[in-house]
Amino acid sequence: MSGAALAVLIVLGPLLLAGGFVLGRRTARPERNSDVGTPVERATFETLHTASLAAPPLRAGLTEESARKAARRLRSLLGTDALCLTDRERVLAWDGSGEHHDKQVMAQVEGLLASGRGTAFASGCGDLDCPLRWGVAVPLTVDHRVLGTLVAYAPRESAVLARAAGEVARWVSVQLELAELDRSRTRLIEAEIKALRAQISPHFIFNSLAAIASFVRTDPGRARELLLEFADFTRYSFRRHGDFTTLADELHSIDQYLALVRARFGERLSVTLQVAPEVLPVAMPFLCLQPLVENAVKHGLEGAVTTSRITISALDAGAEAEVVIEDDGVGMEPDRLRRILRGEGGASTGIGLLNVDERLRQVYGDEYGLVIETGVGAGTKITVRIPKYRAGVHGT
Amino acid sequence: MTGEPASRQPAPRREVVTGEPRRVRPLPRYRAQAEIEEQTALGDAYVRSLMRSQLRAGLTAFALLALVAGTLPLAFATLRDATAVWVVLGFAAYPLLTLLAWWYVRRAERNERDFARLVKGRPVP
Amino acid sequence: MSQSYTVTAVTVVVLATVLVGGFGLRISRTTSDFYVASRTVRPALNAAAISGEYLSAASFLGVAGLVLLHGPDMLWYPVGYTAGYLVLLIFVAAPLRRSGAYTLPDFAEGRLESRAVRRLVSVFVVGAGWLYLVPQLQGAGLTLKILTGAPDWFGGVLVALVVVVAVAAGGMRSITFVQAFQYWLKLTALLVPALFLLLAWQGDGRPRVDLDLTAAVVGRADHPLYATYGLIVATFLGTMGLPHVVVRFYTSPNGRAARRTTVIVLALIGAFYLLPPVYGALGRLYVPELPYGTDADAAVLLLPERAIGGLGGDLLGALVAGGAFAAFLSTASGLTMAVAGVLTQDVLPSRGVRHFRLATPLAMAVPLGGSLLVSGMPVADSVGMAFAVSASSFCPLLVLGIWWRRLTPPGAIAGLLLGGGLAFAATVITVSGAVRSGWPHALLAWPAVWSVPVGFLAMILVSLATRGRIPPGTNAAMTRFHLPEVLMSGSRKGSASVSAAGPGEGTGSGTGMGGAG
């Protein structure tokens, strides 16, 4: 190559460079009044969009699947060569090149998991072609607990990446915190339902067994029958599958309950059941009627010297079933009942009523709470309305 | 329809009592779905195969019905034999429809029995 | 004249309905026999109830009238009414029951998880119910006019009042027994006179009944073949969507029972439909002068008096009249219940029994107005239109909803609006009398042939175009629809099934209560 050519190149080179630079600036200059946004705005939108895409998977919590989906979005958010998400034990997802690093990741973040402070490290990769020479690891925290880490890799040390990774980790942490909140809310509702499930009173179990025992000698056949009823009844009441049942099953359980009660009180209790067969398949919350019947039995036996009458009817009312439980017992003082239904009745009284009222409202809405007609010495009539269909309520 | 004995004087009065509105939101849907999930664990593939066999049974019966119902009016129009129309539509059609229904129910129930056997024979997940 | 007997028969039927509806025929039991006796409604009883509710004025009067007037081609009506149950059995019965839905809107919401679809379906249910109610009221008016000379509107108003009072007062409690009884009443009311009529015909030396097609008194349509196909499509596919039919399936304890119930329904309805053609044929012989138009529907009512005469004829006529009123009342009350239920749940604000009572007059007022405004249409024809609307909207929704996983809410909406909407529009145009002849009239009067495919296509295409909107619970819903009960209770009841699993496991313990037995 001749010297002249070299000289031309030296002169023209910078000139071309300068021209290119000017041209580039000109075309890239933000147009202030553009409707479609400046490049900075566009970049912001893109970032926000990517972030919004990454959020839904994270709302499911930090699992392998959610990490895999989120890692892709997060890497494009950070613009790095590789990104890795871990929990406290293992690598959950690796996105980008250089996956062979994932063996060392857990060792490199060990200190971080203990201290909760971000760290940076040289990847120390033996493969010289590997672009991942440097990494930054930041914690993902929920409630001050380190749930996992986010590790971003770059060809060389970069403060910008370190800062960006920190911000992204903070954003991910917020999402995880929300996920935790979702989960605990669900857990709360479930725990509430479990707690709300009527408990069979120990008295009842004791009394039933005592009544059955009294028949063992005099009438072994009856005792055996009652014991089977008792077994069936408790099995139903203690069952663990599903929150819903059918009206048929519920009434059957009540029938068994009444058989046990009658074993004890005999003629003092007269029960009439009126059931429209049309409503037997209706799905309803588990053990919603039994506490009401128990209530009626208690009221009936409390005052009456003579026979106490209880009427249980299940009627077809168009799109609803209407269950009415009525007794001619001592009744209740309306104001006290109001307090009970407000949850101010004290520990021992009327827990069953409150419990049923709450569950009905929880499943069907406020307009399906218990309607109770009562007065002191006037007996009690409890009306329960159950919609024949409600999305999500399926009895078996 | 209060069951009070008439002897109790003066007749005590009843009041209507309801709980206060709690503004509870009905339970979220996913809870119910979680419950169904227990059954879905039986396996989507299993359910799909059951649906296919039931649909086959249904389509067979329907095809037969459609074929007959589709050609009869044409046949009547070309034959122009009123007695045939009376005999076929007035009498013969009903037992045939009932028989076809009976056949379908037998087949559908057999499908379900076979399916239940298949699913129950499999180790519990 | 046989007026006094007729009035007595009609009064008895009306009074019985009011009393039973108002006070409720309740089944009182002591606890001991409760479990054994009331394990839900047995298929045979439920089937009789479904048949009782289904056999309407169109079946009781309309079929014979049409056959009398237009010849044996009209026999496609009863065949279609029956075959509709076969199609319902094949594609819908068991899965619909297993879905737990009480009404069609329930089904739509449960399957598609969309309130919008639910509301749209509600509108169609109310529309189809009203379309079906109009001819019931018209038929009642006609019956009373023919038999007692009462003014045209009187019978319709009477039926409307009775139904509203009965439904609003008691919600027609324990309706299953009443409806089942109505079936047997209707069957008897046609069967006994028919036997006597045949005897009388025998006694007259068996005059030849003119069965010929060419003997048709008036041409029914410009394109009879097309009309026949329109009728076939509408009745075969429309039955599954009729609101009072769907509601009845809820009473079955489970899907398997729903299927068996449907077979019995087919047999019961088939048995009933053997009779109206007899009246139609004999009507050609004994009441040939019946004026054209709707009055042909009166053939069934007039025949006993004409063919037999005397006291026997009067009594048989009264029996037929009572049966006809039973038909109006049972179908009308079933429909009113269904429509009022949907009105309270989905159309009117807020809920509660009181509102249900408010909705009942509304559910009846509109069709009553319609029946007074629009007269001069054969009963069976106007019923055919309700079938067409149902076939073009609910049939695609049910069939695709039960068998096709890719159905989406937008797809369902598109299908309902296009299929059902077009069929409805065609009905309105036909009734308004804007188009009276030629192909346009045929196409509009029997829309099912084109509107059903439109409904299906719209649902499928729009669903495919909106794949992203497939409801998340689709697989769970499909499992629920199709899984046999044996597996459902087995997996759920856990330990309870241990006690139930006797030697006959897999065939017996289907019912909800059986599992706990």
Side-chain angles (χ1 to χ4, degrees):
Chain A
M1 188 176 284
S2 70
L6 198 70
V8 169
L9 209 70
I10 289 169
V11 174
L12 270 183
L15 264 179
L16 278 174
L17 265 177
F21 183 76
V22 170
L23 209 69
R25 281 300 295 261
R26 183 63 56 85
T27 49
R29 189 158 66 199
E31 291 155 45
R32 293 195 182 281
N33 297 324
S34 162
D35 283 339
V36 291
T38 65
V40 176
E41 284 165 346
R42 276 200 290 272
T44 312
F45 296 150
E46 247 163 57
T47 310
L48 284 172
H49 179 66
T50 315
S52 74
L53 287 178
L58 288 170
R59 284 297 290 274
L62 200 58
T63 64
E64 209 155 314
E65 201 198 340
S66 71
R68 186 171 47 74
K69 285 185 190 149
R72 227 176 71 227
R73 311 290 184 191
L74 295 176
R75 187 168 77 86
S76 74
L77 202 62
L78 285 172
T80 62
D81 295 297
L83 183 137
C84 162
L85 289 172
T86 77
D87 61 9
R88 294 192 67 93
E89 278 87 39
R90 65 210 162 86
V91 173
L92 292 175
W94 183 285
D95 199 73
S97 60
E99 204 163 333
H100 54 276
H101 285 272
D102 68 349
K103 302 280 180 303
Q104 305 130 36
V105 172
M106 290 321 291
Q108 278 155 341
V109 300
E110 204 180 345
L112 184 158
L113 286 171
S115 68
R117 302 175 67 121
T119 145
F121 49 83
S123 71
C125 189
D127 182 358
L128 288 179
D129 285 336
C130 176
L132 312 183
R133 312 309 311 177
W134 181 80
V136 53
V138 282
L140 305 173
T141 57
V142 170
D143 288 342
H144 307 296
R145 279 181 306 116
V146 180
L147 228 60
T149 64
L150 182 156
V151 191
Y153 290 89
R156 63 186 150 312
E157 204 170 37
S158 155
V160 174
L161 181 61
R163 170 73 200 275
E167 294 302 329
V168 168
R170 213 197 309 259
W171 178 81
V172 171
S173 296
V174 170
Q175 299 304 318
L176 293 176
E177 215 152 311
L178 286 173
E180 191 70 16
L181 210 63
D182 277 352
R183 246 202 312 276
S184 55
R185 195 165 54 198
T186 313
R187 266 203 302 269
L188 192 72
I189 293 172
E190 262 160 22
E192 218 170 310
I193 287 278
K194 291 225 168 73
L196 278 174
R197 275 190 170 182
Q199 310 89 358
I200 305 174
S201 82
H203 293 294
F204 173 72
I205 294 182
F206 176 79
N207 290 338
S208 301
L209 287 175
I212 293 170
S214 75
F215 282 112
V216 166
R217 276 169 197 230
T218 53
D219 191 350
R222 175 127 194 248
R224 187 178 168 278
E225 245 168 58
L226 285 171
L227 206 56
L228 287 179
E229 299 266 25
F230 181 75
D232 251 7
F233 173 73
T234 45
R235 189 182 294 133
Y236 175 77
S237 307
F238 290 140
R239 71 167 205 183
R240 283 172 196 277
H241 311 270
D243 296 318
F244 301 109
T245 181
T246 59
L247 188 53
D249 278 354
E250 192 78 0
L251 286 172
H252 179 45
S253 157
I254 285 176
D255 187 39
Q256 289 171 329
Y257 168 80
L258 289 170
L260 293 166
V261 172
R262 264 201 309 258
R264 212 171 140 226
F265 295 101
E267 299 303 307
R268 282 189 59 201
L269 202 63
S270 143
V271 183
T272 315
L273 268 171
Q274 301 179 323
V275 180
E278 289 88 351
V279 296
L280 286 174
V282 174
M284 61 177 293
F286 182 63
L287 278 191
C288 254
L289 300 181
Q290 198 267 340
L292 307 182
V293 174
E294 197 173 336
N295 198 60
V297 169
K298 212 169 67 197
H299 282 185
L301 293 173
E302 246 171 48
V305 229
T306 53
T307 310
S308 150
R309 278 175 205 289
I310 295 176
T311 311
I312 302 167
S313 54
L315 305 173
D316 191 5
E320 293 169 358
E322 194 179 272
V323 182
V324 180
I325 296 161
E326 186 166 16
D327 67 77
D328 61 354
V330 291
M332 293 170 93
E333 200 185 305
D335 277 330
R336 200 179 130 240
L337 181 58
R338 276 190 197 100
R339 274 202 304 283
I340 288 174
L341 289 179
R342 268 202 303 268
E344 303 161 2
S348 62
T349 48
I351 288 293
L353 287 183
L354 173 65
N355 173 335
V356 171
D357 188 49
E358 265 179 359
R359 282 153 72 212
L360 286 172
R361 285 165 192 267
Q362 197 151 32
V363 173
Y364 298 117
D366 258 332
E367 62 272 43
Y368 286 94
L370 292 179
V371 177
I372 308 173
E373 292 165 55
T374 189
V376 176
T380 308
K381 177 182 172 187
I382 306 182
T383 308
V384 185
R385 290 187 300 128
I386 307 163
K388 284 189 178 168
Y389 178 84
R390 182 54 60 95
V393 177
H394 298 283
T396 8
Chain B
M1 56 175 283
T2 63
E4 302 159 37
S7 58
R8 213 174 274 160
Q9 293 290 343
R13 294 192 33 161
R14 282 182 183 176
E15 254 178 69
V16 177
V17 179
T18 56
E20 282 158 22
R22 252 149 273 186
R23 294 194 183 76
V24 286
R25 284 184 320 176
L27 288 180
R29 200 179 285 269
Y30 56 80
R31 269 187 35 72
Q33 271 171 14
E35 211 175 293
I36 295 157
E37 227 74 317
E38 286 171 35
Q39 285 161 14
T40 321
L42 284 173
D44 233 19
Y46 280 89
V47 177
R48 272 174 210 273
S49 75
L50 171 69
M51 278 175 69
R52 267 197 302 275
S53 62
Q54 295 291 48
L55 192 60
R56 246 197 316 274
L59 285 178
T60 310
F62 184 71
L64 201 64
L65 178 72
L67 196 72
V68 174
T71 47
L72 267 184
L74 283 175
F76 290 152
T78 43
L79 277 179
R80 304 198 60 73
D81 177 6
T83 324
V85 181
W86 275 95
V87 169
V88 172
L89 294 185
F91 301 100
Y94 303 106
L96 289 178
L97 285 173
T98 312
L99 272 180
L100 190 55
W102 184 68
W103 172 84
Y104 168 78
V105 168
R106 269 191 32 162
R107 175 126 180 231
E109 287 190 356
R110 201 182 59 215
N111 284 344
E112 287 181 353
R113 252 195 324 274
D114 292 348
F115 178 77
R117 210 171 292 145
L118 183 77
V119 173
K120 282 192 173 167
R122 164 180 82 106
V124 179
Chain C
M1 260 317 258
S2 61
Q3 274 197 21
S4 56
Y5 296 114
T6 310
V7 171
T8 314
V10 169
T11 313
V12 166
V13 169
V14 166
L15 269 183
T17 305
V18 172
L19 291 178
V20 165
F23 295 107
L25 179 72
R26 297 182 195 166
I27 332 96
S28 293
R29 293 209 176 86
T30 54
T31 46
S32 50
D33 63 359
F34 161 71
Y35 178 52
V36 192
S38 64
R39 292 184 96 181
T40 66
V41 184
R42 298 243 161 257
L45 177 67
N46 202 25
I50 293 178
S51 312
E53 200 160 345
Y54 185 63
L55 294 173
S56 65
S59 307
F60 201 90
L61 302 179
V63 168
L66 283 175
V67 169
L68 167 93
L69 213 55
H70 304 290
D73 255 1
M74 295 301 103
L75 290 172
W76 277 110
Y77 269 105
V79 170
Y81 294 153
T82 316
Y85 271 99
L86 180 59
V87 180
L88 183 143
L89 165 73
I90 288 172
F91 292 121
V92 177
L96 179 68
R97 176 61 197 99
R98 287 176 184 146
S99 77
Y102 178 58
T103 61
L104 279 172
D106 290 343
F107 172 82
E109 189 194 3
R111 168 66 176 83
L112 294 167
E113 299 168 40
S114 154
R115 297 288 299 176
V117 179
R118 184 189 174 103
R119 269 191 293 274
L120 186 62
V121 172
S122 307
V123 171
F124 272 98
V125 168
V126 172
W130 278 343
L131 270 183
Y132 208 122
L133 271 168
V134 170
Q136 309 303 322
L137 301 175
Q138 279 180 327
L142 173 77
T143 306
L144 275 200
K145 186 177 91 177
I146 298 281
L147 294 173
T148 67
D152 235 350
W153 51 267
F154 182 73
V157 173
L158 178 71
V159 166
L161 272 179
V162 169
V163 167
V164 166
V165 168
V167 170
M172 294 295 273
R173 285 165 185 159
S174 288
I175 203 166
T176 306
F177 289 94
V178 185
Q179 299 283 20
F181 170 73
Q182 301 261 33
Y183 168 78
W184 295 108
L185 175 64
K186 283 180 226 178
L187 188 68
T188 316
L190 274 200
L191 181 65
V192 173
L195 292 179
F196 280 99
L197 283 174
L198 285 174
L199 281 178
W201 175 64
Q202 199 99 5
D204 287 351
R206 295 212 222 175
R208 206 178 102 70
V209 177
D210 199 353
L211 294 176
D212 220 352
L213 285 166
T214 47
V217 185
V218 280
R220 173 176 162 76
D222 304 337
H223 304 278
L225 198 59
Y226 170 84
T228 303
Y229 278 113
L231 175 67
I232 288 175
V233 175
T235 50
F236 279 38
L237 303 181
T239 306
M240 67 175 77
L242 295 177
H244 59 308
V245 170
V246 174
V247 165
R248 278 251 138 248
F249 273 84
Y250 188 90
T251 307
S252 287
N254 57 44
R256 223 173 85 106
R259 243 191 238 125
R260 297 186 161 201
T261 302
T262 318
V263 180
I264 306 176
V265 168
L266 269 161
L268 291 177
I269 293 184
F272 178 88
Y273 280 134
L274 293 175
L275 300 171
V278 175
Y279 284 80
L282 293 178
R284 288 197 161 186
L285 204 60
Y286 290 104
V287 273
E289 85 290 352
L290 261 190
Y292 300 169
T294 53
D295 285 2
D297 288 336
V300 173
L301 300 166
L302 295 177
L303 252 176
E305 192 198 325
R306 295 293 176 83
I308 301 166
L311 179 67
D314 285 353
L315 285 176
L316 291 174
L319 182 61
V320 174
F325 252 78
F328 306 137
L329 288 175
S330 59
T331 305
S333 61
L335 279 166
T336 310
M337 282 278 286
V339 171
V342 170
L343 279 177
T344 21
Q345 276 206 303
D346 297 306
V347 183
L348 301 176
S350 187
R351 291 152 194 269
V353 181
R354 263 181 221 129
H355 294 279
F356 180 75
R357 284 172 191 172
L358 285 183
T360 312
L362 182 65
M364 189 48 112
V366 175
L368 182 62
S371 75
L372 298 180
L373 284 176
V374 185
S375 51
M377 237 194 163
V379 166
D381 263 356
S382 15
V383 164
M385 295 188 161
F387 274 92
V389 172
S390 164
S392 338
S393 52
F394 301 135
C395 172
L397 179 73
L398 282 166
V399 171
L400 293 177
I402 287 170
W403 298 100
W404 196 49
R405 285 167 196 262
R406 286 193 257 172
L407 184 67
T408 65
I413 290 177
L416 286 169
L417 282 179
L418 272 174
L422 287 175
F424 195 78
T427 303
V428 170
I429 295 174
T430 309
V431 172
S432 74
V435 184
R436 286 179 188 280
S437 62
W439 267 112
H441 174 259
L443 286 171
L444 290 174
W446 289 274
V449 174
W450 51 270
S451 63
V452 172
V454 165
F456 268 102
L457 268 182
M459 245 180 231
I460 292 173
L461 293 180
V462 176
S463 288
L464 289 178
T466 53
R467 283 163 202 266
R469 302 283 307 277
I470 294 175
T474 299
N475 283 341
M478 288 296 179
T479 307
R480 203 167 56 244
F481 292 174
H482 296 282
L483 213 58
E485 283 78 16
V486 195
L487 294 174
M488 296 269 256
S489 56
S491 75
R492 198 71 92 69
K493 286 255 157 98
S495 58
S497 63
V498 174
S499 71
E505 179 228 40
T507 51
S509 66
T511 69
M513 284 175 80

